[in-house]
Amino acid sequence: MRTKMFSQLASGGSTYGAFTLINQPEVVEIMGSLGLDFMCMDMMLGALDWRTASAMALAAERYGMSTMIRVPSYPWSGRRDMVDHHIATDVLRAVSIGADVVMASLETPEQVASALHPTTNSHRRIYLPKFEFEAHGTPEERAGLDEQTANEHAHAWLLPLIESRLAAEQLEDIVTVDGLQAVFLGMSDLANEFGHPNDYTHPEMDEMVQRAVEQASKHSVAVFVNIMGAGTGPARVQEAVARYEQMGVRGFFLPFDSAILIRFYRDVMSTLRPQ
């Protein structure tokens, strides 16, 4: 699973990608052809179905992009004792259609551990020969498999999305969960949770990010953030990335596709039909 995202992180570099809310393979191909390292589909919100998600995953693979899928959850329960095992079921299905990374909004170490378990399941692209021969083949067919090829897609990552107050409070324990590779700070909802709507650069938010990086780095866990609140202009995006890179953030969700379209057409129409 040596996609560009994993290679960048392994070499100590930063990795860049974006959510897609338009949910079309063609958009994924645009992202891949322009050099993004990963793309993320959203099955928590919106109308995306599994068949379309599978086609989008194949489009991403063509360009060496990592496929992320955010599965449904409700991250604001505030209950430390609640583990929703349906999330693990969706994680397994996401892995089976080719997701390299499965994102879920989670709040506690117990929830993370439950969702993490299916990422090592071998039921990945079960319609392909390498799975058929490895799982159901005769001794001769199994012996003919190249071990590296048979197992190259065996393990996906879980990316816990931290976007509630409880999740932020539990982060120090979440990053200790065995097998966890990265966490994602959902800056939009965290800013709302802590009383700073759309103010991602508030000192309390910066302190939160810095603390998360320090806690995560102790356990070799990478930290991702979204920078949608910086706007969609290249200069502002570059400035936001530079700020977080100085804090030790490794992964960046750039402005998503529909946000770029909205702002572009708003600006164009305001010049064509000024009020």
Side-chain angles (χ1 to χ4, degrees):
M1 194 183 352
R2 301 302 294 177
T3 62
K4 291 186 289 185
M5 188 194 83
F6 294 107
S7 296
Q8 286 293 109
L9 292 173
S11 67
S14 298
T15 187
Y16 310 105
F19 273 94
T20 171
L21 302 185
I22 297 177
N23 299 329
Q24 294 295 329
E26 292 86 351
V27 174
V28 175
E29 289 197 70
I30 291 171
M31 290 178 168
S33 66
L34 292 173
L36 272 70
D37 302 323
F38 64 87
M39 67 88 184
C40 185
M41 298 174 268
D42 195 353
M43 302 190 78
M44 176 176 164
L45 304 171
L48 179 63
D49 61 74
W50 288 100
R51 183 175 296 278
T52 304
S54 181
M56 291 169 68
L58 288 172
E61 189 171 282
R62 176 183 177 187
Y63 292 95
M65 277 198 303
S66 290
T67 293
M68 293 189 188
I69 299 178
R70 179 163 77 159
V71 298
S73 61
Y74 186 76
W76 300 284
S77 69
R79 289 182 54 185
R80 301 172 189 270
D81 61 336
M82 188 182 76
V83 175
D84 182 355
H85 296 290
H86 287 93
I87 294 177
T89 302
D90 283 336
V91 169
L92 176 59
R93 191 171 190 184
V95 169
S96 77
I97 67 170
D100 302 302
V101 180
V102 187
M103 182 191 303
S105 295
L106 303 166
E107 293 192 288
T108 68
E110 292 77 18
Q111 293 173 9
V112 171
S114 174
L116 184 63
H117 191 266
T119 59
T120 60
N121 193 285
S122 62
H123 288 75
R124 186 177 182 85
R125 296 250 171 90
I126 62 174
Y127 54 83
L128 292 179
K130 62 185 176 184
F131 176 86
E132 170 62 22
F133 295 147
E134 184 180 37
H136 308 120
T138 65
E140 294 78 15
E141 289 169 333
R142 290 174 61 90
L145 284 176
D146 177 84
E147 184 176 353
Q148 181 176 354
T149 300
N151 293 294
E152 64 181 353
H153 293 302
H155 301 293
W157 280 16
L158 176 74
L159 185 63
L161 174 50
I162 309 300
E163 54 183 348
S164 71
R165 182 177 290 271
L166 175 58
E169 294 170 350
Q170 293 280 294
L171 185 59
E172 187 171 8
D173 293 325
I174 287 173
V175 296
T176 68
V177 174
D178 188 41
L180 188 65
Q181 304 283 349
V183 295
F184 170 29
L185 304 181
M187 301 300 291
S188 307
D189 285 298
L190 284 174
N192 289 333
E193 286 278 285
F194 286 86
H196 313 297
N198 297 324
D199 187 3
Y200 300 168
T201 61
H202 189 280
E204 187 175 7
M205 300 303 297
D206 282 350
E207 290 173 10
M208 183 186 306
V209 174
Q210 192 69 69
R211 184 166 60 252
V213 170
E214 292 171 358
Q215 293 169 347
S217 63
K218 295 176 183 178
H219 304 277
S220 299
V221 172
V223 173
F224 284 61
V225 300
N226 60 309
I227 60 169
M228 275 82 87
T232 57
R236 295 189 66 182
V237 168
Q238 184 179 28
E239 179 183 356
V241 168
R243 284 186 68 253
Y244 286 123
E245 281 183 328
Q246 290 180 348
M247 298 181 193
V249 172
R250 302 285 305 285
F252 297 90
F253 285 80
L254 306 178
F256 48 82
D257 46 12
S258 60
I260 295 170
L261 285 174
I262 288 167
R263 284 166 171 76
F264 174 81
Y265 284 118
R266 178 199 60 189
D267 294 344
V268 168
M269 293 306 297
S270 68
T271 62
L272 297 176
R273 292 178 181 163
Q275 298 297 321

